[in-house]
Amino acid sequence: ADHVVPPEDMVSESRDERAGLDKIRLEARLRDAIDNHTLDVRYQPIYDIAEGRVSGYEALVRWQLPDRGAVSPAEFIKLAEETSLIVPVGEYVLDRVLEVLTALRDAGTTPLPSIAVNLSARQLVEPGMASQIVARTQRAHLPPGALKLEITESRMLDYTPVAAVMAHCREHGIPFALDDFGTGYSNLTHLHKLDFEFIKVDQAFARHMFDSPRAMAIVNAIVAMAHGIGAYVVVEGVETHDQLQRLRALGVRYAQGYLIGQAQPASSVLSGEAGRGLQ
Ligand code: C2E
Ligand code: CA
Ligand code: CA
Ligand code: CA
């Protein structure tokens, strides 16, 4: 017969293979993007509510593919974590951030803004990662607090090695933020077992602050708790002046979101344009 129709199970098998192949191709292209410096790092301003100015940025990686458009970090960070690529991705982002901080310092920018880099706890305990971070940061001769690390965690981890690595970084002037607090695995046990200078409240809470009195009460309770453990609160996803005003009344120190600004290229940070914040 000219046309042999493959049995069902063979069809689905080849579909799996194709998915596997896509992943391998994507992995190779991600490696190219790292090697060719085509991964983009964007900077989203963070607003100090108490001081009324943009005091720092969060570095957010973007991967633009000519044939696929932007691949969300949610997709390729997961892919990178499944492979050994998460280490070079982390180093790449860190190096870009240190370049920006060094350039700002050399230009005499005072006060020097801080820039936060996202790391999964798994990335943080990757052998050699912490010593790389510390070595690269020391080489840049930056003041303490210029570089921050935001810890995102999808799975539970053994706290002991995480705490040890955090203590090592902190000794070298690198503070930590617990990301996406209030969702997923970002929970009270993390705050109990680990020492964070900042707690980032997930954007779901800001989004529902006005339609749900409970969301408001939760933000209020997080502020009280943060005060008790000596951490600052950063609320993410702030999109309106009403939200910002309410956060100020609740005693929240920092706000981040589209009201203050979207993630912008390094050039806007270097020109100071990205830090203009609220007008
Ligand atoms: P995240 O750390 O929670 O980052 C905040 C995300 O919320 C960003 O999405 C940002 O663009 C978005 N966002 C900020 N303000 C607003 C707002 O007012 N409204 C709304 N609707 N959204 C807002 P993005 O850039 O897609 O990042 C997604 C996640 O990818 C990040 O979540 C972070 O966990 C991860 N990620 C990004 N860069 C890196 C990285 O360099 N390394 C690692 N390990 N993860 C990264
Ligand atoms: Ca983050
Ligand atoms: Ca977050
Ligand atoms: Ca997130």
Side-chain angles (χ1 to χ4, degrees):
D2 286 341
H3 306 282
V4 179
V5 180
E8 268 308 310
D9 57 336
M10 270 184 74
V11 172
S12 62
E13 198 175 277
S14 71
R15 214 174 273 140
D16 280 356
E17 269 168 27
R18 221 165 349 187
L21 209 60
D22 259 3
K23 216 170 174 177
I24 290 164
R25 282 211 193 99
L26 213 55
E27 196 183 323
R29 296 178 72 174
L30 181 54
R31 184 167 284 287
D32 282 347
I34 297 164
D35 293 344
N36 302 327
H37 282 219
T38 51
L39 273 187
D40 196 17
V41 180
R42 299 255 158 173
Y43 300 85
Q44 186 174 36
I46 298 175
Y47 187 73
D48 184 330
I49 300 174
E51 293 196 1
R53 63 181 181 92
V54 169
S55 60
Y57 302 89
E58 175 179 1
L60 294 163
V61 69
R62 295 273 185 282
W63 187 19
Q64 209 63 44
L65 283 173
D67 53 329
R68 287 187 48 163
V71 182
S72 84
E75 188 182 340
F76 75 84
I77 291 292
K78 192 165 155 277
L79 169 76
E81 277 194 334
E82 289 165 7
T83 65
S84 54
L85 283 179
I86 194 65
V87 175
V89 168
E91 288 170 352
Y92 179 90
V93 175
L94 179 69
D95 284 344
R96 300 292 80 72
V97 166
L98 292 176
E99 281 168 9
V100 169
L101 284 170
T102 305
L104 287 171
R105 187 216 40 214
D106 291 350
T109 311
T110 44
L112 191 66
S114 62
I115 303 184
V117 168
N118 287 284
L119 283 180
S120 65
R122 196 187 135 196
Q123 219 176 332
L124 184 67
V125 297
E126 201 76 50
M129 191 68 191
S131 51
Q132 276 294 326
I133 292 171
V134 166
R136 282 165 203 239
T137 306
Q138 280 191 310
R139 218 177 297 140
H141 297 290
L142 295 165
L147 176 75
K148 290 179 181 154
L149 297 176
E150 289 191 9
I151 304 303
T152 38
E153 198 33 66
S154 43
R155 284 170 301 271
M156 244 347 151
L157 269 185
D158 192 1
Y159 287 109
T160 315
V162 178
V165 164
M166 285 176 68
H168 177 64
C169 291
R170 185 173 288 116
E171 260 169 45
H172 293 91
I174 304 171
F176 285 85
L178 178 58
D179 207 356
D180 299 339
F181 185 72
T183 63
Y185 293 90
S186 188
N187 61 32
L188 287 171
T189 308
H190 286 40
L191 284 183
H192 173 214
K193 299 281 187 188
L194 303 168
D195 194 4
F196 289 96
E197 281 79 6
F198 301 89
I199 299 170
K200 296 195 79 170
V201 177
D202 189 78
Q203 48 184 311
F205 295 99
R207 195 177 308 131
H208 295 294
M209 251 170 48
F210 291 102
D211 58 42
S212 153
R214 284 190 287 179
M216 187 93 78
I218 289 166
V219 174
N220 202 16
I222 293 173
V223 171
M225 180 190 63
H227 186 79
I229 62 173
Y232 293 110
V233 174
V234 186
V235 173
E236 298 189 87
V238 177
E239 296 181 351
T240 69
H241 278 101
D242 283 351
Q243 289 170 331
L244 184 70
Q245 238 171 327
R246 188 55 65 97
L247 293 174
R248 184 182 287 120
L250 290 176
V252 169
R253 180 65 189 262
Y254 299 96
Q256 181 180 352
Y258 296 161
L259 175 68
I260 295 108
Q262 305 229 2
Q264 290 159 70
S267 58
S268 306
V269 174
L270 294 171
S271 71
E273 193 190 314
R276 265 194 260 121
L278 297 167
Q279 296 304 300

